[in-house]
Amino acid sequence: RVDFTSIVKWLPHGRAFIFFKNQTFVSEVLSRYFSSSNLQTFTRQLKYWGFKRITKGQDAGAYYHELFLR
């Protein structure tokens, strides 16, 4: 959704996403689309679903899954 681009967005290459403003992400996105509004629970779920957090380079902080593309 376009109205969430200041909170969560795709990286330009379309292979990963990143979220900003953690509190806003929790209140606007998680509470609306997921059963839990706890950020730690959401990131744990991402790991369970096979997403990996990018820790180095210009995409640091983003989440990636080899089958998840924009």
Side-chain angles (χ1 to χ4, degrees):
R1 291 185 45 167
V2 176
D3 57 335
F4 291 141
T5 56
S6 67
I7 303 170
V8 61
K9 73 173 188 170
W10 287 96
L11 295 181
H13 50 67
R15 297 189 54 84
F17 68 93
I18 190 167
F19 50 88
F20 312 99
K21 304 177 186 174
N22 291 351
Q23 294 297 345
T24 307
F25 179 75
V26 168
S27 64
E28 296 294 323
V29 178
L30 288 187
S31 63
R32 186 178 297 181
Y33 296 105
F34 294 92
S35 60
S36 174
S37 60
N38 183 318
L39 186 59
Q40 282 184 315
T41 301
F42 177 71
T43 56
R44 194 175 311 121
Q45 281 292 102
L46 287 175
K47 187 175 180 178
Y48 174 77
W49 293 327
F51 283 83
K52 296 180 176 140
R53 188 163 191 254
I54 301 169
T55 58
K56 296 180 181 179
Q58 66 183 24
D59 296 341
Y63 288 87
Y64 160 83
H65 189 288
E66 64 183 34
L67 301 176
F68 191 72
L69 304 173
R70 181 175 187 187

